[in-house]
């Protein structure tokens, strides 16, 4: 059994917890929080909730620590910090800052002899894998990634961090016209703005400067600045009633040619009832791989690009070849 | 530059040749044939055509030999034989016999210190990867694989080997009703027979026993016995006029749950203008990986399950993290 600790018990933490219950070879040994541990009621019976400070001295009951924090401010600090003590997994999703984050985690993990798998989930994650496989096979081609319609946790989180925001939900919406053009094999040139729109539902503090919040959202670099974004201010009741689910999905569509006039279209698509539960499921598979890689004496930062698929599976290589190849 | 030799110059050999021209880091150094080399005109200018016998003493101008033979009788013999001399790649696609083939190639490759990547292509190959990733992430789920409509090279080849058959083309056709049920998330139980039909177009020798040919096709184990198969006898002219393309495609649809009532649908689909060119493209990416694995001192049989995606790409790990993650 691979012993897993979860740091952070928000949507993603609960998604990881659900995934652990579906995997027979991993067990949850503790949930760690920066809040008062006594205030947290978790779904797994008999599993202790402890303060994050208890992670600072290496614990024997953790093989892999899955860090469930936000990409904006949590993970850049937490992942290197805990990689210095444990094998760690994160879902860092600020695409533009991945090289820097990778480098920071790599240094900490190599010094400590641990493995840190960063940017797991579906994008970055499964969608990234789909892009790399397609580009490796058909280098003469183009990848198009469409998200949604669905709630982006990272973007909702980013909005929630703005002063005066109590709660927020951000929907990413693909532009139908763009989707149609790509699927028809037209290989169109599309700007970021032409592919998706973003829609935010925000509960503001009483008396907050709504115009300032809206402006901060729309101009936030990496997250919103390159998109047409609409912002709606709603009540907490409306938020609960209309926006409590976290569905998501999307498609990576790759169109490539192997010779004059010979085109192939590869599509990888996801329809997810729950973004955090699916992301959590990818993190748990990555935790299995991290444990195995580290058991073989390897260390440093990794991404799914570096991991042989067989390391992600609870099945034996023989079984995979016999039943899945 | 990675130096590639191609053994066998049928549809797949030509597909590999086309793929090599699309990849800047690999070069074709020779095409090898069991036929009279003088009888072969290849597409690549300045590349020598040699007899297969010239492979028997290790050649310095081959880093990886891509073996483009049929799965029924060629590859079980050829892949272990040449793995004893070279890094080799094949597209062995008799699913039921993969464990035995893997074991034979593994023995030869380990003894010789070479790498043998077997069963590359799209199924086995990319579809297999899709099944393993999905099952690793959502172990509580079911994979459904649909092929076609398209021409299966392996099945056409198997028909062509029957006595009295001059030429053959086999179309695999998904059953619409089954496809609809799976995409709607019904998780139906489907037999092999309920998912696909097979349709064969056969040019027979003059005076051949057509009833015997039809019976041999329909009862062929692994290939046809478990399907509803229709067989049409046509003229060589009709074959050329109506069946000269080799399109294919299909979908792996995986439906899995992460908690009570929470379902995710993962779909990987391919629309291929040319099955052999796409398969060839996968083989060339696998050749790149084989060369790298062997350069690191590894040996033995591998499948795509064992290969970190980064090894398949001509791009650097830094570039992949920066632009694809």
């Amino acid at each position: 059994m691979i012993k897993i600790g979860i740091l952070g018990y928000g949507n993603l933490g609960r998604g990881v917890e659900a995934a652990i219950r579906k995997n027979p070879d991993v067990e949850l040994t503790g949930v760690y929080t920066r809040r008062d541990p006594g205030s947290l009621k978790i779904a797994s019976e008999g599993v202790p909730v402890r303060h994050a400070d208890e992670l600072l001295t290496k614990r024997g009951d953790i093989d892999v620590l899955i860090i469930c924090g936000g990409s904006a401010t949590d993970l850049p600090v937490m992942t290197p910090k805990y990689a210095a003590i444990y094998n760690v997994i994160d879902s860092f999703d600020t695409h533009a800052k991945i090289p820097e984050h990778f480098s920071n985690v790599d240094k900490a993990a190599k010094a400590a002899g641990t493995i840190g798998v960063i940017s797991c989930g579906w994008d970055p994650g499964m969608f990234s894998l789909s892009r790399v496989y397609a580009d490796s096979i058909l280098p003469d081609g183009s990848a198009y990634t469409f998200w949604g319609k669905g709630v982006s946790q990272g973007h909702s989180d980013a909005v929630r961090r703005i002063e005066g925001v109590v709660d927020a939900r951000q929907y990413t919406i693909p532009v139908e016209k763009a989707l149609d053009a790509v699927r028809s094999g037209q290989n169109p040139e599309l700007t970021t703005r032409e592919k998706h729109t973003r829609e935010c539902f925000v509960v503001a503090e009483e008396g907050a400067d709504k115009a300032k919040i809206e402006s901060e959202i729309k101009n936030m670099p990496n997250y919103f600045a390159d998109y047409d974004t609409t912002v709606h201010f709603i009540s907490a009741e409306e938020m609960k009633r209309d926006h409590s689910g976290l569905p998501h999905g999307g498609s990576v569509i790759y169109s490539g040619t192997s010779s004059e006039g010979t085109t192939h279209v590869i599509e990888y698509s996801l329809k997810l009832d729950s973004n955090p539960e699916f992301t959590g499921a990818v993190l748990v598979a990555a935790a299995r791989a991290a444990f195995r890689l580290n058991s073989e004496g390897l260390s440093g930062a990794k991404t799914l690009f570096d991991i042989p698929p067989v390391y992600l599976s609870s099945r034996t290589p023989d079984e995979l070849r016999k039943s899945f190849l």
Side-chain angles (χ1 to χ4, degrees), chain A:
Chain A
M1 292 290 268
I2 302 169
K3 299 188 284 288
I4 308 276
I6 294 173
L7 173 54
Y9 196 70
N11 288 323
L12 181 56
R14 286 190 292 271
V16 170
E17 183 184 29
I20 289 171
R21 285 198 294 271
K22 290 285 189 184
N23 282 276
D25 61 333
V26 300
E27 62 175 324
L28 179 62
T29 59
V31 170
Y32 297 82
T33 177
R34 288 172 293 181
R35 294 180 267 170
D36 168 19
S39 71
L40 224 63
K41 170 102 187 89
I42 67 168
S44 304
E45 255 179 66
V47 173
V49 179
R50 300 195 178 94
H51 194 273
D53 287 349
E54 296 199 36
L55 290 168
L56 296 175
T57 308
K58 170 128 181 76
R59 301 186 59 91
D61 62 355
I62 297 178
D63 293 320
V64 186
L65 181 67
I66 301 183
I67 305 178
C68 302
S71 294
T73 59
D74 293 340
L75 297 177
V77 176
M78 290 164 77
T79 310
K81 175 179 169 182
Y82 292 105
I85 313 176
Y86 303 97
N87 297 312
V88 294
I89 310 294
D90 81 17
S91 60
F92 185 76
D93 69 357
T94 310
H95 291 262
K97 294 187 178 170
I98 284 173
E100 181 188 340
H101 186 59
F102 183 89
S103 168
N104 292 339
V105 175
D106 195 49
K107 266 178 237 151
K110 279 199 176 127
T114 62
I115 291 281
V117 187
I118 67 156
S119 301
C120 299
W122 58 279
D123 198 358
M126 301 313 297
F127 272 17
S128 322
L129 280 173
S130 172
R131 290 186 286 261
V132 165
Y133 276 118
D135 176 76
S136 301
I137 295 167
L138 298 172
D140 183 6
S142 303
Y144 297 85
T145 304
F146 291 94
W147 301 275
K149 184 184 176 177
V151 176
S152 160
Q153 294 169 275
H155 288 79
S156 299
D157 202 45
V159 175
R160 256 181 242 115
R161 283 166 198 284
I162 293 173
E163 206 188 314
V165 172
V166 175
D167 198 4
R169 208 72 86 248
Q170 191 269 184
Y171 292 88
T172 306
I173 305 162
V175 176
E176 282 296 330
K177 206 177 99 182
L179 207 54
D180 291 347
V182 171
R183 285 216 174 100
S184 75
Q186 288 174 37
N187 252 0
E189 293 265 347
L190 297 167
T191 64
T192 297
R193 201 173 294 276
E194 286 169 329
K195 288 174 66 190
H196 298 90
T197 55
R198 296 196 181 278
E199 191 170 19
C200 301
F201 294 85
V202 178
V203 180
E205 276 173 17
E206 221 179 289
D209 183 343
K210 290 183 180 176
K212 185 162 172 281
I213 291 173
E214 181 164 343
S215 168
E216 274 195 51
I217 294 172
K218 290 186 171 178
N219 295 302
M220 196 184 297
N222 299 323
Y223 284 84
F224 292 98
D226 299 333
Y227 300 84
D228 289 336
T229 302
T230 52
V231 178
H232 311 277
F233 289 93
I234 60 173
S235 68
E237 292 69 36
E238 287 170 314
M239 180 65 81
K240 196 176 173 189
R241 188 190 66 204
D242 302 333
H243 305 283
S244 61
L246 292 169
H248 216 321
S251 295
V252 175
I253 308 173
Y254 190 94
S255 166
T257 62
S258 55
S259 67
E260 185 69 31
T262 305
T263 299
H264 312 286
V265 179
I266 304 171
E267 180 162 353
Y268 180 82
S269 71
L270 295 172
K271 282 181 212 156
L272 310 177
D273 271 1
S274 163
N275 183 355
E277 288 194 17
F278 187 81
T279 302
V282 178
L283 266 62
V284 169
R288 176 183 292 121
F291 175 75
R292 290 172 174 175
L293 291 168
N294 192 241
S295 300
E296 292 178 3
L298 296 176
S299 66
K302 306 281 175 192
T303 73
L304 289 171
F305 299 163
D306 305 303
I307 297 176
V310 70
Y311 280 67
L312 297 168
S313 174
S314 66
R315 301 178 195 271
T316 66
D318 279 348
E319 187 183 359
L320 291 178
R321 280 191 296 271
K322 186 171 187 294
S323 306
F324 287 74
L325 195 60

